Amino acid sequence: KPAPEGEATAITATVKKGLSNLTRGGIASEITGETRLRKGDTVSVTSGYVSAKVGGCSLTLSQGAKLEILSAKPEDMQVRLVTGEAFCQAGDAAVTLHYGAHSTKLRSAVLVCTVRTGSETLYVLGGSVSDGSNTFDAGKTGSYVGTELSVQDLDLKALSSFALECILDSQEDMVCHADEVQKLLRPLRPLFLRHACVHHRKLDVPQRVCARDEIEVLEHKTDLPVPDLRELIVRRILHIGPVEPVRSL
């Protein structure tokens, strides 16, 4: 639905993969296409990920993330990451990001923000981020556990696969130089390729192809299978016909 008359909106959400819902006025509906958001809206990512444009700031929300719109006015854009993870690329226009009990104005910065039960973390990849009391420069990680803050050097291996994939897809210069980031990510790239590997070793043991309760033991007789165009896995592996005479000893 369009925004009420007189209310300008500068925030949109687009589902890039999977399923996400928009809750507006207590009513939840699936997000389809590019959806304009307004104050009070909540985006929940059920699966895949969502790209949110908050003025000149781009937020990529991970599976399980929930984003609440606090203000959609172009001169005062504010969003809250309620839970989950967001990859943020902020431009020159300031955007206020609330996370847990903290908030920061994003401007010319690249970071990953995570909100979990009892903890909030900022991984600053480019530029600098300030929450009013503390400033986190590129290459630093600021982690809150309750009210306790710890600041450490950024360890890319501590990032999730979602965050690493976002970094690989980004064209921004991060942590001083992009080539340094790529060098750190190179040993981790095989993690992204595991799902694409085909393990043929399982074909060497036909008994493991199906569940145990699906195996029928033949006792001194042979069942004549109904002709079927589908290929039998065991027949293809063992190179025997569907019917083989067995001579009693």
Side-chain angles (χ1 to χ4, degrees):
K1 295 182 180 180
E5 185 177 354
E7 180 182 338
T9 61
I11 304 176
T12 62
T14 305
V15 176
K16 294 299 183 180
K17 181 180 179 182
L19 175 67
S20 296
N21 294 322
L22 167 66
T23 301
R24 173 176 292 171
I27 300 176
S29 59
E30 182 180 349
I31 298 177
T32 57
E34 183 181 87
T35 302
R36 288 191 172 275
L37 306 177
R38 60 176 187 251
K39 181 179 179 180
D41 289 351
T42 300
V43 175
S44 302
V45 185
T46 304
S47 63
Y49 59 95
V50 169
S51 174
K53 298 294 184 181
V54 187
C57 179
S58 174
L59 302 178
T60 304
L61 306 176
S62 70
Q63 177 175 319
K66 184 178 291 187
L67 185 74
E68 180 183 357
I69 310 304
L70 302 181
S71 174
K73 297 179 180 179
E75 68 275 11
D76 181 31
M77 292 174 288
Q78 299 188 45
V79 296
R80 180 189 302 279
L81 183 62
V82 180
T83 187
E85 192 170 12
F87 179 74
C88 313
Q89 299 177 90
D92 295 333
V95 173
T96 302
L97 172 66
H98 298 261
Y99 57 103
H102 312 282
S103 65
T104 179
K105 281 190 176 293
L106 302 180
R107 176 179 288 160
S108 302
V110 183
L111 67 145
V112 175
C113 178
T114 64
V115 176
R116 310 297 183 196
T117 303
S119 67
E120 303 85 36
T121 305
L122 295 179
Y123 302 91
V124 184
L125 301 162
S128 62
V129 178
S130 174
D131 62 5
S133 302
N134 305 281
T135 298
F136 312 108
D137 295 323
K140 295 295 183 180
T141 298
S143 181
Y144 287 95
V145 178
T147 59
E148 297 295 326
L149 170 65
S150 65
V151 180
Q152 300 176 346
D153 290 336
L154 175 64
D155 182 5
L156 292 177
K157 293 181 180 179
L159 296 178
S160 68
S161 59
F162 161 79
L164 293 172
E165 288 174 348
C166 289
I167 293 173
L168 290 174
D169 291 338
S170 175
Q171 301 299 318
E172 300 285 347
D173 288 335
M174 293 170 282
V175 192
C176 297
H177 300 288
D179 56 346
E180 293 180 354
V181 177
Q182 294 293 339
K183 182 178 179 180
L184 291 172
L185 289 173
R186 193 171 298 118
L188 302 177
R189 284 178 177 170
L191 295 176
F192 308 129
L193 302 178
R194 283 184 179 178
H195 67 280
C197 296
V198 178
H199 301 286
H200 295 285
R201 185 172 179 268
K202 66 180 180 180
L203 299 180
D204 295 335
V205 187
Q207 289 84 352
R208 295 183 182 177
V209 177
C210 56
R212 180 179 299 176
D213 58 1
E214 295 177 356
I215 298 177
E216 179 182 359
V217 179
L218 302 180
E219 298 181 355
H220 309 297
K221 62 180 180 179
T222 302
D223 289 338
L224 295 176
V226 177
D228 196 331
L229 294 179
R230 293 176 297 177
E231 182 182 26
L232 296 177
I233 296 178
V234 175
R235 180 184 63 186
R236 178 170 62 84
I237 296 173
L238 300 181
H239 300 291
I240 61 175
V243 179
E244 182 180 0
V246 179
R247 180 175 300 173
S248 300
L249 299 177

